Every structure is written in structure tokens, then in C-alpha cells.
Amino acid sequence: DRQGSYPVLKGFKSAREEADYILQEIKDLLEQGYAYRDIVVIARMRKQLNMLKEALDKENLPSAVITRTDMEFEGDEVRLLTMHAIKGLEYQVVFIMGLNNQVMPYLSYSDQEDQSIQKSNERKLLYVGIRATSKLPKSEVLQEL
């Protein structure tokens, strides 16, 4: 029931290639009139966000890794949050980075039943990330990994 563009699924050969794509998309969005604070990048793991933060810093694009304990949204900067921290928040543009079998679903149990529960929880977590967008960014045609 939401308005906007369909989500775009892109495959990347490396985390660097993905970061370069996100950087270029952010630059394009800024040229279209979006503010830094309209844009959020979410990931399953904080280390993914820290890597992107370094790339944004090199490009002199203001950004902040925001944790659930430090939910400060005062400045005009690209927000970088984990999927757990995004709960209940909504942004104009949402990038979900690093969705691959090594990161999500995160399965730490060897028991099949426990893994089934973990997979269900990971689906819910991904849904939280997807729900964080109020309008999806316009981009290329949907591609499969």
C-alpha cells in the first residue's frame, strides 16, 4: 500500500564495489535535492557500517554510525544503523547493505530446529529494515543476485 519505486536488488563482487555503488547513489540523491538526513544505510553487522563510514569520510560526506543507546538525530548527515537500531524509524531513502549468505541469515546453531527459529527471526529483522523506508529510491531495474 506504499507509494514509490520498487526495491532494487543488486549483486556485488566485493564489499568495496557495494560501498562505491552506495556512495554514487548518495551523491546522485543529493543532486536530486535530498538532504543527508533523508538517507539511511542499514546493515546486519556494525563492522559493515564502519567500513562504509570510512568510505563516506574519504568522500567528505557527513555520516554517523548510530547505536540503539545513542539515538541522536540532530545533525544533517547520512545515518548508518544496524537492523536492530532501525526499529520504529522511517526514512525517505533506505539502503540495506551486505545481504548475503555469510551475513544473513546469521545461523549460529547446528540443530535444525534451532536454525529454523533463527531463520524466522532473521526474516523478521530484514522486514524491519524494509519497513524503515517511506519512499524507495529510484534506480536501475531489479536484478537478481
Side-chain angles (χ1 to χ4, degrees):
D1 65 342
R2 290 184 172 226
Q3 301 298 313
S5 302
Y6 286 101
V8 174
L9 177 64
K10 303 246 341 144
F12 301 98
K13 294 179 182 172
S14 68
R16 178 78 249 162
E17 185 181 327
E18 181 179 31
D20 289 343
Y21 173 80
I22 292 172
L23 285 170
Q24 187 56 54
E25 286 291 305
I26 289 172
K27 289 176 184 178
D28 292 346
L29 289 164
L30 294 170
E31 287 178 11
Q32 293 173 31
Y34 285 92
Y36 293 107
R37 68 181 169 275
D38 295 333
I39 304 168
V40 66
V41 180
I42 59 177
R44 177 70 176 87
M45 308 283 185
R46 184 164 303 147
K47 67 181 179 180
Q48 296 168 289
L49 298 173
N50 291 336
M51 185 271 308
L52 184 62
K53 170 95 172 101
E54 289 177 19
L56 289 165
D57 289 347
K58 285 181 185 174
E59 295 289 323
N60 295 316
L61 296 172
S63 64
V65 176
I66 299 172
T67 64
R68 286 180 9 182
T69 57
D70 181 31
M71 300 294 275
E72 191 166 316
F73 301 100
E74 303 275 327
D76 188 20
E77 58 206 2
V78 175
R79 274 72 182 222
L80 309 172
L81 293 98
T82 64
M83 289 184 182
H84 288 286
I86 197 74
K87 291 177 184 173
L89 301 176
E90 192 172 279
Y91 287 87
Q92 290 292 308
V93 180
V94 176
F95 292 95
I96 303 175
M97 69 180 293
L99 293 180
N100 61 63
N101 289 338
Q102 289 77 40
V103 175
M104 188 169 218
Y106 176 73
L107 302 175
S108 61
Y109 296 111
S110 57
D111 180 67
Q112 203 67 347
E113 188 174 323
D114 290 337
Q115 280 190 0
S116 178
I117 293 169
Q118 274 188 310
K119 283 181 183 179
S120 176
N121 289 337
E122 292 289 294
R123 281 188 203 101
K124 292 173 187 173
L125 190 58
L126 180 57
Y127 181 72
V128 166
I130 292 169
R131 291 280 303 155
T133 184
S134 61
K135 180 180 177 187
L136 296 167
K138 294 177 181 171
S139 194
E140 290 91 56
V141 178
L142 182 66
Q143 296 181 358
E144 293 198 27
L145 290 174

